[in-house]
Amino acid sequence: STKNDKKALTEEEKKFYLRNTILSPINKETTKLAEEIAYQQETDKEKARAIFYYIVKNYRYVYPPSCRGTKSFLELKEGDCGEFSMLFTALCRALNIPARTVVGSWANGKMEGHVWNEFFIEGEGWISVDTSMAFIQKKRPWSFFGGSIRTIHWKKYFGQTEGQRVVFSKDIEIELVPEYKDDEEAFIAASMIINGENFGWGQQSLNGCA
């Protein structure tokens, strides 16, 4: 688990970590899928664990992904750490479990971006989850052999990490203040696909959010 003394969320915090977003939508599709995955589980922690196992089993890690966002990940069944994390957030939130997509880097002396999750259990606090690393360690355990990134058994990525990470942001789609004005011409050159639509990565906002 993430070291965190906070055992309860305020109503404002809970609302924020249960919100519907573009990259982690809470809609009929994600709600139906979450309920199907977790229907036999009684506690929120067991529901989150079921989601973890489901994602690791049914989706494939591919970098770079051809498309970003939960919608395309559900359709293509492949993506990178971002898509794995965005889906985990969406499915937890669909079951009323506060969750967030954590953005950071491996702490190995160079900038190597990575994205993972934390979900919140009342009385326990924030709990770390890394579905994409679990997939890689389960399906391609040789991937980091001889490298600078430490790894743990794939099942342990539900509840902990290897402790070799730097956190940049404890969620995505954060409201930009002051308001950010998109430059329609600037982002064309650096565009990529999010949920089937062109998006200027690093230059365009998602409904006013980073």
Side-chain angles (χ1 to χ4, degrees):
S1 297
T2 303
K3 288 185 177 179
N4 193 323
D5 294 331
K6 193 175 183 66
K7 303 298 184 186
L9 297 178
T10 65
E11 284 304 310
E12 186 178 358
E13 287 171 327
K14 191 172 182 181
K15 184 178 179 182
F16 183 77
Y17 292 119
L18 289 173
R19 73 196 190 285
N20 175 35
T21 67
I22 293 171
L23 295 174
S24 292
I26 304 165
N27 52 30
K28 286 182 179 179
E29 185 177 13
T30 52
T31 300
K32 181 174 182 288
L33 178 58
E35 289 174 347
E36 288 174 354
I37 293 168
Y39 79 99
Q40 289 184 312
Q41 313 305 322
E42 293 183 4
T43 69
D44 284 350
K45 193 170 185 178
E46 288 307 312
K47 289 175 183 178
R49 191 190 303 274
I51 291 169
F52 168 81
Y53 281 115
Y54 177 85
I55 293 175
V56 173
K57 180 181 178 181
N58 291 283
Y59 296 83
R60 192 165 69 96
Y61 181 90
V62 172
Y63 181 83
S66 59
C67 215
R68 290 264 178 211
T70 291
K71 181 182 177 185
S72 59
F73 193 44
L74 288 169
E75 293 170 358
L76 300 173
K77 297 286 192 291
E78 62 181 36
D80 71 359
C81 58
E83 279 59 57
F84 273 77
S85 303
M86 292 167 198
L87 179 57
F88 183 86
T89 293
L91 296 176
C92 281
R93 289 179 180 177
L95 296 176
N96 207 40
I97 302 169
R100 59 194 183 191
T101 300
V102 182
V103 181
S105 172
W106 299 107
N108 61 346
K110 54 186 175 180
M111 171 57 197
E112 282 192 81
H114 187 50
V115 186
W116 63 100
N117 291 99
E118 292 176 348
F119 70 96
F120 194 87
I121 297 296
E122 200 86 12
E124 287 193 50
W126 288 103
I127 298 171
S128 295
V129 174
D130 194 329
T131 50
S132 62
M133 278 298 289
F135 172 89
I136 292 170
Q137 285 306 103
K138 184 174 189 280
K139 303 290 179 68
R140 308 167 192 168
W142 61 88
S143 297
F144 295 98
F145 184 75
S148 59
I149 297 174
R150 295 192 301 268
T151 58
I152 55 179
H153 187 272
W154 74 270
K155 289 183 180 180
K156 290 185 177 180
Y157 281 107
F158 181 86
Q160 67 183 90
T161 69
E162 67 300 304
Q164 194 188 4
R165 306 176 183 211
V166 177
V167 175
F168 299 151
S169 176
K170 291 196 172 182
D171 207 17
I172 55 175
E173 292 181 80
I174 308 294
E175 185 179 0
L176 290 163
V177 179
E179 183 182 352
Y180 180 78
K181 299 291 185 182
D182 291 336
D183 185 339
E184 296 294 332
E185 294 181 4
F187 70 74
I188 294 173
S191 68
M192 68 178 306
I193 307 298
I194 291 184
N195 294 334
E197 296 182 10
N198 280 323
F199 177 78
W201 197 261
Q203 299 178 63
Q204 188 181 6
S205 69
L206 283 170
N207 284 356
C209 294

